[in-house]
Structure formats: C-alpha cells, structure tokens
C-alpha cells in the first residue's frame, strides 16, 4: 500500500494483477488500474501525483492516478520487481529486483536508463536521499549507499546486516537512514 502525497488517496496492490486507488475520505474505489500481467508487488507515489508500480511481470509501470491510464512501461529487469522509489524531484525512479539488479530510470528522457549494479542477492528495498544525490539499496545481507549521479557510481557505505532489509527511508535532512527487516 502507498499513500498519495496529499494524503487523500491510498493505492493498494494485489496478487490479482490489479491496483485499486481508494479515496481516504469516502472509502470508495476511485480507479482500478489494470495493465500488469502478474502480481503487483511494490507501489510508490511521486510528489507530482504520479504512481509507479512494480510487478512479478518484471516491469515498472508509471500511472496517471487522475485518469487511471498508463503513462509509461519500463522494461529491463529479468525477474520480478520487488521495490521502487521516486527521486525527490520526480525525474527518476530506482527499482530493485529479484534479478539482483538495481535500475535508475530517467523519466524525463525515455531513452535513458542505466543498470546501477548487479549483486549476488535480491534487492528488497530502495530509497533516494532527500537531496537527490544518493540511493540506498537493501538486500538480504547488506545495505549499500551510493552516489548515483557521479561518473564513477562509487559505493559510499556498505552496511552488513543479519536477515533481509525490506524497508529503507532517509530522514528529511538525509543524515540518517532507517532500515526495517526480518
């Protein structure tokens, strides 16, 4: 589930390949979004009231939640998309997958996307820093924090963890990274 930035809507994903957007005030389904060909696993809202979904069908879909229509389909992963996050300026999406890769998608320039890295384990969680310079990637054994817009894509920090990291969130100042897992 994911809350819209305005707080007026909540999107719910399901194994039936559908996403339902509910009005928080009325509880009524505003839209049922149908385009994925397999279960929807992850959701993220952008600040511009745009919704992204990741699925077992290996795609990320960008939706217009006002109309319920597909804006873009992003393809590149070779296994299910487990996590997605918008950059603070809504220009980029990062996705993590069971294929052990993270992709950075440039939404302003459809022809530009890049595979950030391939690990030896699934990427369960992804997050952008509030200043839009770093991403955090969470897997079963580690959290990686890296600069994504530098030429060398260097790793800044690697944190070893026990159990998987399934949730990541930077503090508003970007100086603290919260992690949740099992």
């Amino acid at each position: 589930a994911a809350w819209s930035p305005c707080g007026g809507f909540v999107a719910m994903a399901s194994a039936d390949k559908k996403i339902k957007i509910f009005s928080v005030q009325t509880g009524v389904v505003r839209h049922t979004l149908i385009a994925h060909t397999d279960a929807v696993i992850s959701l993220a809202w952008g600040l511009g009231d745009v919704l992204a979904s990741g699925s077992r069908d290996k795609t990320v879909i960008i939706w217009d939640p006002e109309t319920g229509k597909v804006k873009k389909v992003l393809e590149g992963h070779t296994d299910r998309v487990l996590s997605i996050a918008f950059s603070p300026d809504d220009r980029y999406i990062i996705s993590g997958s069971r294929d052990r890769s993270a992709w950075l998608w440039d939404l302003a320039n459809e022809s530009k996307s890049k595979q950030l890295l391939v690990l030896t384990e699934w990427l369960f969680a992804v997050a952008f820093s509030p200043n839009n310079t770093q991403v955090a990637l969470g897997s079963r054994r580690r959290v990686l924090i890296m600069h994504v817009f530098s030429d060398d894509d260097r790793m800044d920090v690697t944190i070893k963890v026990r159990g998987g990291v399934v949730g990541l969130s930077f503090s508003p100042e970007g100086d603290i990274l919260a992690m949740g897992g099992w």
Side-chain angles (χ1 to χ4, degrees):
W3 289 91
S4 65
C6 69
F9 302 98
V10 65
M12 306 286 282
S14 69
D16 69 0
K17 310 172 199 171
K18 298 176 186 173
I19 302 161
K20 293 189 179 190
I21 299 178
F22 293 87
S23 165
V24 174
Q25 187 175 21
T26 65
V28 173
V29 175
R30 181 176 180 143
H31 291 293
T32 299
L33 311 179
I34 302 171
H36 283 291
T37 59
D38 208 334
V40 181
I41 298 172
S42 53
L43 295 169
W45 286 89
L47 292 178
D49 272 344
V50 62
L51 180 67
S53 57
S55 169
R56 289 179 67 169
D57 67 10
K58 308 171 194 168
T59 66
V60 175
I61 295 181
I62 311 302
W63 302 88
D64 179 340
E66 283 295 313
T67 64
K69 304 286 185 201
V70 172
K71 292 177 80 171
K72 293 180 187 176
V73 178
L74 307 175
E75 297 176 295
H77 285 290
T78 59
D79 206 334
R80 61 189 71 172
V81 178
L82 301 174
S83 54
I84 50 178
F86 278 93
S87 61
D89 62 4
D90 279 356
R91 178 171 176 177
Y92 300 95
I93 287 181
I94 188 161
S95 58
S97 172
R98 186 175 168 176
D99 68 8
R100 298 166 174 85
S101 72
W103 280 76
L104 181 68
W105 308 93
D106 185 342
L107 300 179
N109 184 349
E110 288 183 41
S111 64
K112 289 201 175 177
S113 62
K114 70 176 182 176
Q115 191 174 29
L116 291 179
L117 75 159
V118 178
L119 297 174
T120 58
E121 52 213 51
W122 302 352
L123 288 169
F124 293 110
V126 295
F128 268 96
S129 65
N131 66 2
N132 208 33
T133 61
Q134 294 177 304
V135 294
L137 309 168
S139 68
R140 187 173 194 175
R141 294 186 187 106
R142 72 190 103 210
V143 173
L144 303 172
I145 303 171
M146 62 188 292
H147 279 89
V148 290
F149 300 111
S150 67
D151 290 333
D152 61 358
D153 290 334
R154 68 186 186 277
M155 299 292 173
D156 293 331
V157 178
T158 300
I159 304 166
K160 291 185 179 182
V161 296
R162 291 186 192 183
V165 174
V166 295
L168 292 168
S169 182
F170 282 94
S171 66
E173 297 78 25
D175 58 343
I176 299 171
L177 178 66
M179 298 178 269
W182 70 87

